[in-house]
Amino acid sequence: MGFLADSLNRISPSATIAVSTKARQLKAQGRDIISLSAGEPDFDTPDNIKQAAVKALAAGKTKYTDVDGIPELKQAIVDKFKRENGLTYKTSQVSVGTGGKQVLYNALLATLNPGDEVVMPAPCWVSYADIVLLGGGVPVFAQTTMEHGYKLQPEALDKAITPKTKWLVFNSPSNPTGAAYSHDDLKKLTDVLLRKKNEHVWILTDDMYEHLLYDGLKFATIAEVEPKLYDRTLTMNGLSKAYCMTGLRLGYAAGPETLIKAMCKLQSQSTSNPSSIVQWMGVEALTGPQDFIAKNNKIFVERRDLVVSMLNQANGLKCPKPEGAFYVYPSCAGAIGKKSAQGVSIKTDEDFVTALLEEEGVAVVHGAAFEGSPAFRVSYAASTESLKEACTRIQRFCGNLR
Ligand code: PLP
């Protein structure tokens, strides 16, 4: 077996996709299932963005483009970073890929050598560790706690860094916890990264949920908070979440030119350019009206408040109220060691979510998939009505535990 084939044996299929697929299969069999497992907004893509696709098609924009993005989209991204984050990049420092996931994948696979360590605050998005393993690297989880709102503490970051650390992969607001870092929270972490002993660490900041921030919290990103880290930071973002474009697959990053070139080289031998039509949709998304984001966020806040309140009324659950994304991450420590109504022993969070799906038809993702147990992730990107019903079922499930 080759190097990549060996690496493939070390990774798992995405757990979130597995749960969503199981929920869809049960639904197809006629079961009454509510799935709160998906990482995507239930809102439609704004019409002006859809129309940009129609226009691009009519204009014959159907040919190959530059591998890592058309100049118009790169310029729109440069302008976005300036306008929203106070960050100055040239278009040659920008890379566009088929979804944020490809951009992350390019960055990690283009840079990792066997044995390189990648630090990530846990719980964290399911794919980081698997992409690192695929690249021959070693994921290092820096644990966060519910008491600290699932935010990485400076000492935990410092402790996780070794001479072998290549990257810190950082994500705020966070999937799966919704934890969002303020400017001051980030400053404490950037101070650690500036220490002489940590100077070799590059930072990959995943800002995918930037616009999904609530309660007046202002977004901040690492290169903006600490300009001294600009030269070793890759700032990644995408259109999937706030612009409701998950299936359209468009993500981007900006950072040091040599890194961007290496990422482009890798992409040139895999997928080549992202869809030409979708790139034009991206131009419209970033340069067109942005007011729908605030409207969607108002709905997300109402749903978050409803879900947090109902889950906190469930026996054995404890659910913090996060300030971003569209996830909550309740602890189910109080349910471990008990038996469900149908007599299933709940030893782990995976047992909890499996029995919940079987017995009440609610699909959520177990914390172990995110390296944060015992807990589970609830996506509240679903209608208020289905959220109410799902939480009522979770309350009943927990109430029946003995
Ligand atoms: N980063 C985080 C934290 C995510 O939650 C996701 C999607 O779930 C991605 C990156 C990848 O996004 P995309 O759908 O653009 O590939």
Side-chain angles (χ1 to χ4, degrees):
M1 285 279 215
F3 167 71
L4 206 58
D6 285 344
S7 297
L8 205 55
N9 289 331
R10 300 163 70 202
I11 72 169
S12 348
S14 162
T16 45
I17 294 177
V19 174
S20 303
T21 309
K22 169 124 197 255
R24 260 199 303 274
Q25 283 166 350
L26 289 174
K27 228 181 205 164
Q29 290 165 16
R31 291 272 311 270
D32 169 22
I33 303 292
I34 306 175
S35 181
L36 305 181
S37 60
E40 64 183 347
D42 54 323
F43 305 125
D44 198 4
T45 311
D47 202 50
N48 62 307
I49 301 177
K50 287 186 182 173
Q51 290 310 318
V54 175
K55 262 197 230 153
L57 270 174
K61 309 273 192 202
T62 55
K63 310 292 189 209
Y64 289 132
T65 73
D66 289 347
V67 166
D68 62 356
I70 55 175
E72 291 85 349
L73 179 54
K74 286 192 177 180
Q75 188 57 52
I77 291 166
V78 164
D79 295 344
K80 177 258 178 265
F81 277 125
K82 186 87 211 154
R83 182 178 71 241
E84 296 188 339
N85 311 106
L87 288 170
T88 306
Y89 291 109
K90 294 187 279 207
T91 50
S92 55
Q93 289 178 278
V94 171
S95 187
V96 183
T98 303
K101 193 182 250 182
Q102 186 181 27
V103 174
L104 269 160
Y105 183 95
N106 287 342
L108 293 168
L109 264 79
T111 54
L112 288 176
N113 289 311
D116 281 350
E117 293 176 358
V118 178
V119 171
M120 53 197 85
C124 57
W125 184 45
V126 288
S127 294
Y128 296 143
D130 287 308
I131 296 174
V132 168
L133 289 169
L134 199 56
V138 181
V140 174
F141 301 104
Q143 284 299 332
T144 65
T145 61
M146 190 160 74
E147 289 64 43
H148 287 124
Y150 293 114
K151 289 189 211 174
L152 180 63
Q153 299 303 295
E155 317 77 62
L157 171 62
D158 197 44
K159 234 172 102 189
I161 295 173
T162 75
K164 284 188 179 167
T165 307
K166 170 80 53 91
W167 287 99
L168 162 69
V169 174
F170 186 78
N171 173 221
S172 169
S174 151
N175 176 5
T177 64
Y181 293 66
S182 68
H183 184 284
D184 290 352
D185 292 333
L186 287 184
K187 187 79 185 70
K188 289 184 193 126
L189 300 178
T190 59
D191 285 348
V192 170
L193 293 163
L194 284 177
R195 285 179 195 157
K196 188 100 192 118
K197 86 173 238 306
N198 300 332
E199 264 177 357
H200 59 294
V201 178
W202 300 353
I203 302 108
L204 199 173
T205 164
D206 177 345
D207 298 349
M208 190 56 83
Y209 294 88
E210 165 175 12
H211 296 103
L212 304 179
L213 259 193
Y214 317 123
D215 308 333
L217 190 69
K218 200 176 158 321
F219 181 76
T221 191
I222 286 182
E224 169 198 23
V225 168
E226 181 45 84
K228 288 193 199 108
L229 292 174
Y230 175 91
D231 286 333
R232 48 185 175 115
T233 299
L234 183 70
T235 306
M236 186 276 240
N237 210 316
L239 285 290
S240 293
K241 311 291 174 173
Y243 294 89
C244 312
M245 290 173 64
T246 43
L248 292 158
R249 316 303 303 129
L250 203 64
Y252 60 86
E257 221 169 282
T258 43
L259 172 61
I260 295 294
K261 276 208 183 104
M263 290 163 63
C264 180
K265 189 171 167 186
L266 186 58
Q267 188 162 301
S268 76
Q269 294 298 11
S270 53
T271 58
S272 293
N273 62 273
S275 155
S276 53
I277 300 301
V278 173
Q279 291 189 65
W280 285 103
M281 297 177 82
V283 173
E284 175 60 25
L286 292 176
T287 59
Q290 307 288 308
D291 51 326
F292 66 92
I293 296 178
K295 276 190 210 143
N296 290 351
N297 284 357
K298 204 162 159 263
I299 299 171
F300 277 142
V301 168
E302 283 166 18
R303 291 171 176 177
R304 176 201 62 178
D305 292 350
L306 168 80
V307 168
V308 168
S309 152
M310 286 189 77
L311 291 179
N312 275 322
Q313 290 166 51
N315 243 344
L317 300 188
K318 238 192 210 164
C319 186
K321 191 198 272 194
E323 288 164 309
F326 39 67
Y327 308 107
V328 293
Y329 201 73
S331 156
C332 58
I336 303 297
K338 300 200 165 153
K339 272 202 168 124
S340 74
Q342 292 185 14
V344 174
S345 286
I346 310 293
K347 295 194 216 75
T348 63
D349 51 24
E350 189 160 6
D351 295 339
F352 181 93
V353 304
T354 308
L356 178 65
L357 181 56
E358 291 295 338
E359 296 180 24
E360 291 288 353
V362 178
V364 293
V365 186
H366 49 293
F370 308 102
E371 296 293 331
S373 291
F376 58 96
R377 187 192 77 175
V378 176
S379 163
Y380 56 83
S383 72
T384 305
E385 195 187 323
S386 57
L387 289 171
K388 263 190 200 153
E389 173 61 20
C391 290
T392 304
R393 293 186 193 183
I394 294 173
Q395 286 178 350
R396 187 165 58 218
F397 179 81
C398 291
N400 284 335
L401 292 173
R402 293 287 172 268

